[in-house]
Amino acid sequence: MTTHPSDHIDAMLHESRVIPASNAFTAQARVNREAYDAMYRQSIDDPDTFWAGVAGDLEWMAPWTQVLDWQEPHAKWFVGAQTNIAYNALDRNVARGLGNKRAIVWEGEDGEVRTYTYSQLLTEVKKAANALLGLGVQAGDRVTLYLPMIPEAAISMLACARIGAAHSVVFGGFSVSALSDRINDAQSRVLITADGGLRRGNLVPLKANADAAAQNAPGLEHIVVVNRGSSNPPMQEGRDVWWHDVVGAAEGEHDALPVDSEHPLFILYTSGSTGKPKGVLHTTGGYMVGTYLTTRTVFDLRDDDLYWCTADVGWVTGHSYIVYGPLLNGATVLMYEGAPNQPDWGRFWDIVQKHGVTILYTAPTAIRAIMRQGDEYPNRYDLSSLRLLGSVGEPINPEAWMWYYRVIGGERCPVVDTWWQTETGSIMLTTLPGAYPSKPGSAGLPMFGVDAAIMTREGEELGPDDGGLLVIKKPWPSMLRTVYGDDARYQKAYWGEIRGVYFAGDGARRDPDGYYTVMGRVDDVLNVSGHRLGTMEIESALVAHPSVSEAAVVGKPDDVKGECVVAFVTPQGGQTIDPKALRAHVSKEIGALARPDAIIIADALPKTRSGKIMRRFLRQIAAGREIEGDTSTLEDPSVLERLAAAEAL
Ligand code: 6R9
C-alpha cells in the first residue's frame, strides 16, 4: 500500500462502489430494510414508545414514570426507574437458561485459554463485589481500574456496577502521571491493577506504575492486585491486597443493588481540545438500553455467535462492545490479551480459526497494519467461520475496506463501519447489514433515535454533498450526561459550539442517499491508530521539559496509523533539545501512544501578531506540502521557510 492518506480522503469522496449483503445474509437479517425504515421512523417520530419498547426487553426493579426528561443540555432517561446493568448482563441471562453458556472465552498472549460460563462469571462478579464492599467501597464511589486485557477487567467493571460504584478504566498504556491525574480527578479510594500484562512477550509493569502513581494520589487507600504475570511485585502492607486473596475469600452470594436509572455507571477520560482530558460520565439505564440494542442489531447477533471485538477495555469500544452490549445480549465474547503480531502477523487469524469466531469488530489501523504484511497471513488460516465484520475508531479508507471485505470476509461477510464516540456511548452511524448496502469509506445511515445533520459553524443545516460539521439534533439514551466535576465544560464543549445541537467535533458529508461519510476531527484532537489525543495535552507535556520553550503539535497523515504526531519545538534559552530524551519525556508524561513521530526544532513558531500559533501552516509543513493560504497575518512569515527547510528528527 503506497497511497497517501490525503488520497484516501479524496478516494472516499469519489468512491462510488455500493456493496449489498449477500442474499443469504439479507434473507435472515435480524433487521431488514422494512424493519429498519419502520423502526427508524418510530424512533424519531415517537421516541418514547420506541425506547420504552426496547427497554422492555430488560429487567427493571422499579418502572419509569417518564421515558425522557430533556432540559437542554441535560437528559434523564427512564426517569425514576431502578435497575442494575450487571444484574441484566448476568443474573437475568442465567435466569433465562444461559447459565451454562460461555460468556467469556479469553486467550492470553502466551496462548493460555480461560473460559467463564454465565454462571461462573456471575459467581466471580458476586465475589469481586463482596471484596470491594469489604474494602469499604460504597455505592456512589469511584473505583479506578488499570488492568491488562484479562477477564478480571470485565469482572471488576461488572462488580463495580453491581454495587453501584462507578468505574474509571485507565488504559494500561497510559503513564504514571496520566494514571495519578485520573485517580485524583475521580477521587478514587481503590485502584484495581495487576502485576503486569503481556505485550509482545514482555510484562508491562502495571503495579510498578500504580505504586509510582500512588505517590501522587493521596486519597488512594487500597490497591487490589491481580496476579497475571507471577512477577512478585512488592506489596505495601495495609494498602495492597492480592485479588486472589480478597476475591478468593469473598462470599459467593450477593444481590445486585437496584440503582436509579441515572445513577453513574462509569467515567472514561478522553482527550478534548484543551490540555486536560475530560471525564465523560455515563449513567445506567440509557447506556444499558443503547448498548443492548446496538449490539443486537448492528452485529445481527445470534445465540450461537462467537463475537470478538479486538479493542482494549481501556477505551469506550471495550466498555460498550466487549463488556456491556454483548453480555446484555447473552453473547459469547472472545477476549484477547496481546498484540496482533505476537508471535507473528497471523495471530488474529489463528484466533479466528481456533475458536471459530463468527463476528469480528476491529479498527482500520489494525486492518491496514495487517494488510501491509500481505495476504499470506490470512490465507494460511480457515476464516470460513466469519459471517460479519465491523470497523471502528477512525475513517476506514475504501482500499482497506475492500481488502477487509475480500481477503478476510471472502466477499461473504458484510462490513459494518460504525461511527460513534466515547461521549455517544453506543454506535450512532452505520449501515445495518441486510437492510441497506454498504458504501466503502462511508459509515452510512443513522442508528435508531439518532437525528443527525450536517451544519455550518453558524448552525445552518447543509444539504446533500456539502461538507460541514456533524451534529446530533436530539438527545439519545446512551449519551454522556456531563463531564465529571465540570458541567460548565460539558455545556460549552458539546452543546455550546452550535446552539441547540450536540457538536461531535467531526467533519462529515451526507450523500443524496442519506449516507454519512465522516472525514475526521475538526478540533485540536488527533486520531492516532484510533486513539484520541489532544494536541494541547502533548504540547503541555513538551513544554514541561526543561529544554523546551514553546511547542506546537499537529497531525500528519500516516498510512497505517491514520495520523501521526509531529511536534514543532523551540529551545529554552541556551539549551539543546535532544529528540530522544523528549520522546521519552512524552511517554513518561502521557504514554507511549503520544510519543511524537517527528520532532522539528525551530527558532520560532509561526504566530499571528496577537501571538496565536497558526497550526494550519504547521500541518502543511508536517505533510511536506506547499504552503497555502494567507501568510500576511503572520508576525514573521519567513519562519515558515525556515521550518520547511528544517530536518525532522
Ligand atoms: C468509538 C470511538 C471518537 C472519534 C470520533 C471520530 C473517530 C470513530 C469512526 C470515526 C470515522 C468511524 N471515529 N469511529 N471516524 N469513521 N467509523 O472510537 O470513540 O475514542 O471517543 O473516538 O473517533 O473522529 O470523533 P473515541
Side-chain angles (χ1 to χ4, degrees):
M1 194 177 107
T2 51
T3 48
H4 195 265
S6 59
D7 301 333
H8 297 157
I9 302 277
D10 211 45
M12 263 192 255
L13 296 177
H14 297 106
E15 175 66 43
S16 55
R17 270 174 291 209
V18 173
I19 300 186
S22 68
N23 291 339
F25 190 98
T26 306
Q28 312 188 30
R30 208 180 239 297
V31 182
N32 61 23
R33 181 172 300 200
E34 292 65 38
Y36 169 81
D37 289 347
M39 286 167 80
Y40 184 72
R41 257 299 106 237
Q42 189 192 36
S43 74
I44 297 297
D45 295 345
D46 184 6
D48 286 15
T49 306
F50 178 82
W51 290 113
V54 179
D57 283 4
L58 298 159
E59 248 181 81
W60 303 77
M61 289 100 182
W64 53 88
T65 52
Q66 199 183 341
V67 174
L68 168 66
D69 173 8
W70 177 231
Q71 314 275 339
E72 193 199 314
H74 295 116
K76 288 187 184 144
W77 283 89
F78 309 106
V79 182
Q82 295 209 332
T83 188
N84 184 292
I85 194 169
Y87 178 92
N88 271 286
L90 300 173
D91 310 58
R92 184 179 128 268
N93 284 324
V94 171
R96 63 188 185 108
L98 301 182
N100 292 328
K101 180 174 177 178
R102 294 175 306 169
I104 296 180
V105 178
W106 173 80
E107 180 163 319
E109 197 185 68
D110 54 2
E112 181 190 346
V113 173
R114 270 202 265 159
T115 298
Y116 293 82
T117 64
Y118 272 88
S119 294
Q120 288 167 334
L121 188 62
L122 174 57
T123 302
E124 284 309 303
V125 169
K126 285 178 171 177
K127 291 173 101 176
N130 284 325
L132 289 175
L133 290 171
L135 292 170
V137 178
Q138 293 172 3
D141 286 355
R142 278 84 40 206
V143 175
T144 299
L145 275 48
Y146 185 60
L147 284 162
M149 283 292 292
I150 53 178
E152 285 81 357
I155 293 168
S156 298
M157 290 163 74
L158 291 160
C160 287
R162 199 167 177 89
I163 63 173
H167 50 74
S168 164
V169 184
V170 178
F171 172 57
F174 275 125
S175 69
V176 170
S177 38
L179 175 61
S180 60
D181 286 351
R182 286 159 176 74
I183 294 171
N184 292 332
D185 189 79
Q187 300 144 292
S188 293
R189 287 185 288 126
V190 172
L191 170 69
I192 307 177
T193 189
D195 59 337
L198 280 181
R199 192 80 192 171
R200 299 202 174 87
N202 298 314
L203 204 64
V204 180
L206 298 174
K207 174 61 165 62
N209 289 351
D211 287 340
Q215 302 279 314
N216 289 316
L220 200 62
E221 292 167 14
H222 289 292
I223 303 183
V224 182
V225 187
V226 179
N227 181 22
R228 161 69 186 124
S230 301
S231 63
N232 227 348
M235 298 286 280
Q236 185 178 310
E237 182 78 45
R239 185 193 69 181
D240 301 350
V241 292
W242 284 109
W243 171 281
H244 55 255
D245 286 340
V246 289
V247 176
E251 267 293 309
E253 271 317 317
H254 176 268
D255 290 334
L257 182 76
V259 296
D260 189 89
S261 177
E262 286 301 328
H263 189 76
L265 175 64
F266 67 85
I267 300 171
L268 188 57
Y269 289 86
T270 190
S271 296
S273 38
T274 72
K276 192 173 180 280
K278 297 181 274 207
V280 167
L281 180 82
H282 281 285
T283 60
T284 305
Y287 176 84
M288 174 169 84
V289 170
T291 52
Y292 164 76
L293 177 69
T294 47
T295 311
R296 195 173 184 74
T297 53
V298 175
F299 301 108
D300 188 63
L301 203 64
R302 305 300 161 132
D303 291 346
D304 53 358
D305 271 316
L306 184 61
Y307 166 96
W308 181 24
C309 166
T310 69
D312 189 286
V313 286
W315 310 112
V316 74
T317 305
H319 284 58
S320 302
Y321 299 108
I322 293 179
V323 180
Y324 291 113
L327 295 179
L328 285 165
N329 279 286
T332 300
V333 180
L334 189 121
M335 195 171 171
Y336 169 58
E337 177 185 38
N341 57 347
Q342 185 70 20
D344 64 35
W345 284 101
R347 187 58 183 268
F348 275 16
W349 320 124
D350 181 59
I351 292 174
V352 167
Q353 173 181 289
K354 177 158 146 201
H355 299 280
V357 172
T358 59
I359 300 171
L360 175 68
Y361 190 31
T362 191
T365 188
I367 298 167
R368 290 191 298 260
I370 293 171
M371 172 169 117
R372 239 188 188 196
Q373 310 300 319
D375 298 2
E376 329 61 280
Y377 286 105
N379 287 347
R380 268 183 223 157
Y381 298 90
D382 176 4
L383 304 181
S384 62
S385 58
L386 289 170
R387 64 177 199 88
L388 190 147
L389 303 172
S391 172
V392 61
E394 50 173 319
I396 177 164
N397 47 301
E399 192 190 358
W401 196 105
M402 288 307 299
W403 185 85
Y404 195 30
Y405 176 70
R406 209 170 33 79
V407 180
I408 305 306
E411 299 185 14
R412 174 185 79 249
C413 309
V415 173
V416 290
D417 177 9
T418 60
W419 176 86
W420 61 293
Q421 309 176 294
T422 305
E423 292 87 342
T424 70
S426 64
I427 295 167
M428 301 294 277
L429 300 174
T430 193
T431 311
L432 286 188
Y436 279 87
S438 300
K439 298 188 184 183
S442 171
L445 299 170
M447 270 310 285
F448 308 121
V450 175
D451 195 359
I454 304 292
M455 285 188 175
T456 63
R457 283 251 166 220
E458 290 67 43
E460 185 201 337
E461 204 165 327
L462 296 171
D465 285 337
D466 286 332
L469 304 171
L470 177 58
V471 303
I472 313 294
K473 299 199 286 182
K474 282 201 180 79
W476 63 99
S478 66
M479 66 189 264
L480 80 164
R481 296 304 194 261
T482 190
V483 171
Y484 184 74
D486 195 352
D487 193 61
R489 190 169 178 197
Y490 164 72
Q491 301 201 25
K492 185 163 174 290
Y494 300 107
W495 298 89
E497 287 283 335
I498 303 178
R499 275 241 328 254
V501 298
Y502 171 84
F503 174 77
D506 279 315
R509 183 182 63 100
R510 188 181 56 220
D511 75 9
D513 297 329
Y515 282 52
Y516 287 83
T517 296
V518 179
M519 254 85 80
R521 303 291 305 190
V522 294
D523 52 8
D524 292 324
V525 172
L526 307 183
N527 192 325
V528 179
S529 299
H531 303 323
R532 261 166 84 170
L533 288 171
T535 51
M536 293 264 285
E537 256 173 285
I538 310 176
E539 288 165 7
S540 34
L542 288 165
V543 295
H545 193 269
S547 69
V548 175
S549 165
E550 280 191 302
V553 165
V554 298
K556 173 186 162 185
D558 182 275
D559 278 353
V560 173
K561 297 176 175 183
E563 249 182 328
C564 67
V565 178
V566 178
F568 292 84
V569 287
T570 64
Q572 188 71 264
Q575 307 251 5
T576 32
I577 293 176
D578 171 9
K580 206 169 147 226
L582 209 52
R583 285 197 176 87
H585 171 76
V586 173
S587 288
K588 189 170 150 274
E589 290 290 310
I590 304 175
L593 70 173
R595 195 164 41 197
D597 290 88
I599 295 178
I600 295 169
I601 302 171
D603 62 334
L605 298 175
K607 285 188 192 167
T608 59
R609 287 187 187 87
S610 57
K612 206 166 174 275
I613 298 175
M614 300 284 281
R615 286 192 177 68
R616 182 155 47 95
F617 296 126
L618 294 176
R619 274 192 286 273
Q620 295 170 0
I621 293 171
R625 297 206 304 270
E626 290 293 316
I627 305 285
E628 272 174 36
D630 183 8
T631 57
S632 66
T633 54
L634 290 178
E635 162 103 76
D636 173 10
S638 75
V639 168
L640 295 178
E641 289 148 42
R642 294 203 296 286
L643 287 174
E647 194 192 343
L649 303 169

